[in-house]
Amino acid sequence: QAILCLSRPFDYSQKNAVLIPVAALGVGGMLLYWLRSGRKIKTIDMGDGWWGTGERPPKGKEDTSIRPFKIETSDKEIEDLHQRLDRFRFTPHVEGAAFHYGFNSSYLRKVVDYWRNQFDWRKQVEVLNKYPHFHTTIEGIDIHFIHVKPSYVPHGQAVRPLLMVHGWPGSFYEFYKIIPLLTEPAKHGLNEGDVVFEVICPSIPGYGFSEASHKKEFDSIATARIFHKLMNRLGFKEYYLQGGDWGSRITTNMAQMLPQSVKGLHLNLVFIATQGLGKMIRTMLGAYVPWLVGFSREDARRFYPFMQKNVYDVLRESGYLHIQATKPDTAGCGLNDSPVGLAAYIMEKFSTWTDKSFLHKDDGGLE
């Protein structure tokens, strides 16, 4: 009996020695599968909309024409700008603040002086008109875009349409230097066998020369639908997309809306929408076992310490985002009325978003 009694705990411990690791592997495998498997993104319903003033006209009565557009300025506009710049009211900045509290007002004086006395508006207008500009009305608002076709296409080479979408604070002008590399690669030392594109760069509604929505709740999905309609109006059924900043969200929505039309999507900013328990577990485990949640060493280096890099920095740098998301008309009154205020508001982002260390420089690293 004593021997039998001794054998039971021995058998039990043997079973434990096998069962516990197997159970741990099973639970761990399930956890790993759950962590690594993303939610399948559903196709976004295209829907329809009307963002113009008043009621939508009857079907078939909307203006679908594509109209040539030329950027122009006038002596009167430039004189008004100069008067506003001359009335710039300087406020001394906090000593040693550099760009930590926003745009350094002493450096802003230098910017205003350059803008007032050296910047050549007419030359810039010529540069902007380098490419063909157009307007077309979609869902009640005028949409501005440039459309650049290759001047020469090698025999047998297909031309692929590419829609490029900017973000904030930006514009279609962001793409001017890369357009020739896309439309005429051979002329710029690239392989003649490379893909040749024709490029369409629209202004997001409310930006540049595109009309803003006159109705509430205009969003990236509405913009995605409008840009699909733009491409269809230009005769394209299949096309490629590039997006950065808000352009990234818009082009992603376009791919989710009509995946059969989008042959390729390139982003230089990725919006991550995962939330909940899975994200929390990934964040916690990523600091210790980054490989388990799909992080590379470089991912972990950029992501941790988590509070410093993902909470404190976001709180410090996202004040503009909250006011623009909730009270845009209030901020817009000042920015539209004061060119100096607008310059400081936008150029501060070009400083900090280029390199966070530029906060410590009196010129914001802009030079």
Side-chain angles (χ1 to χ4, degrees):
Q1 280 185 344
I3 291 169
L4 287 173
C5 287
L6 283 171
S7 69
R8 274 192 215 127
F10 175 76
D11 291 341
Y12 184 70
S13 63
Q14 270 193 327
K15 286 178 183 176
N16 277 356
V18 175
L19 288 174
I20 290 174
V22 168
L25 280 170
V27 172
M30 290 171 64
L31 178 63
L32 181 61
Y33 175 78
W34 178 59
L35 288 169
R36 297 299 293 268
S37 61
R39 291 180 298 173
K40 197 171 182 180
I41 296 174
K42 296 178 181 177
T43 303
I44 295 174
D45 180 45
M46 187 154 181
D48 203 1
W50 176 258
W51 309 101
T53 55
E55 296 296 320
R56 187 172 201 159
K59 196 170 183 180
K61 297 292 185 181
E62 293 180 34
D63 181 5
T64 59
S65 64
I66 295 172
R67 307 174 293 277
F69 172 74
K70 188 175 181 180
I71 297 170
E72 297 178 332
T73 189
S74 66
D75 292 341
K76 186 177 179 182
E77 285 178 327
I78 294 173
E79 183 183 347
D80 176 73
L81 172 66
H82 285 171
Q83 288 175 357
R84 291 169 186 268
L85 295 178
D86 288 338
R87 292 197 296 269
F88 167 44
R89 293 190 294 186
F90 172 75
T91 304
H93 62 87
V94 175
E95 292 179 7
F99 264 58
H100 282 275
Y101 293 163
F103 207 100
N104 184 299
S105 59
S106 291
Y107 182 65
L108 186 58
R109 272 180 159 172
K110 187 174 179 179
V111 171
V112 172
D113 178 70
Y114 165 75
W115 197 4
R116 173 65 178 85
N117 299 307
Q118 298 177 55
F119 186 80
D120 189 339
W121 269 107
R122 286 173 182 80
K123 180 182 176 183
Q124 187 60 33
V125 168
E126 284 181 21
V127 171
L128 290 171
N129 284 319
K130 175 182 178 180
Y131 298 120
H133 293 251
F134 301 91
H135 265 159
T136 190
T137 305
I138 303 176
E139 297 190 4
I141 53 178
D142 278 352
I143 302 301
H144 161 261
F145 63 98
I146 60 174
H147 187 180
V148 188
K149 299 179 181 181
S151 59
Y152 166 74
V153 180
H155 179 69
Q157 178 67 270
V159 179
R160 291 170 172 81
L162 172 64
L163 181 82
M164 305 182 78
V165 186
H166 64 88
W168 186 91
S171 71
F172 60 90
Y173 183 63
E174 292 175 10
F175 306 118
Y176 267 46
K177 288 184 179 179
I178 200 174
I179 285 172
L181 307 183
L182 297 166
T183 58
E184 301 173 319
K187 280 188 179 180
H188 296 84
L190 301 175
N191 191 331
E192 275 215 32
D194 287 350
V195 174
V196 176
F197 291 99
E198 63 177 286
V199 178
I200 301 93
C201 300
S203 295
I204 297 172
Y207 291 66
F209 301 102
S210 279
E211 187 178 3
S213 170
H214 297 271
K215 303 283 195 279
K216 295 189 295 182
E217 298 179 0
F218 186 86
D219 58 13
S220 63
I221 292 176
T223 308
R225 181 177 63 245
I226 284 173
F227 287 171
H228 272 307
K229 290 182 177 181
L230 170 64
M231 295 301 279
N232 289 334
R233 189 168 293 181
L234 292 172
F236 302 118
K237 299 302 180 188
E238 296 180 341
Y239 31 88
Y240 295 80
L241 306 175
Q242 144 66 27
D245 195 77
W246 281 114
S248 167
R249 172 60 65 87
I250 292 163
T251 51
T252 298
N253 288 159
M254 290 179 73
Q256 294 166 336
M257 190 176 283
L258 290 178
Q260 68 274 21
S261 293
V262 177
K263 303 301 292 180
L265 171 65
H266 179 271
L267 307 173
N268 52 284
L269 177 81
V270 179
F271 284 86
I272 304 296
T274 55
Q275 295 177 350
L277 182 61
K279 183 177 180 181
M280 185 175 72
I281 293 173
R282 284 188 185 93
T283 301
M284 291 169 62
L285 292 178
Y288 306 101
V289 281
W291 53 269
L292 182 64
V293 294
F295 286 180
S296 67
R297 287 185 180 179
E298 181 63 13
D299 293 332
R301 186 188 70 79
R302 289 172 177 266
F303 203 54
Y304 300 99
F306 180 81
M307 292 298 289
Q308 178 63 40
K309 295 186 176 181
N310 299 276
V311 178
Y312 301 150
D313 284 354
V314 169
L315 287 174
R316 187 181 68 232
E317 298 298 336
S318 61
Y320 82 96
L321 189 152
H322 189 67
I323 193 168
Q324 287 176 196
T326 56
K327 307 293 181 185
D329 289 353
T330 301
C333 290
L335 298 178
N336 191 40
D337 188 61
S338 169
V340 177
L342 183 64
Y345 199 73
I346 288 178
M347 291 179 69
E348 180 238 306
K349 298 307 174 196
F350 277 91
S351 166
T352 309
W353 289 351
T354 299
D355 190 326
K356 284 189 283 189
S357 71
F358 287 173
L359 287 168
H360 309 296
K361 295 179 177 287
D362 289 337
D363 68 352
L366 290 168
E367 294 188 13

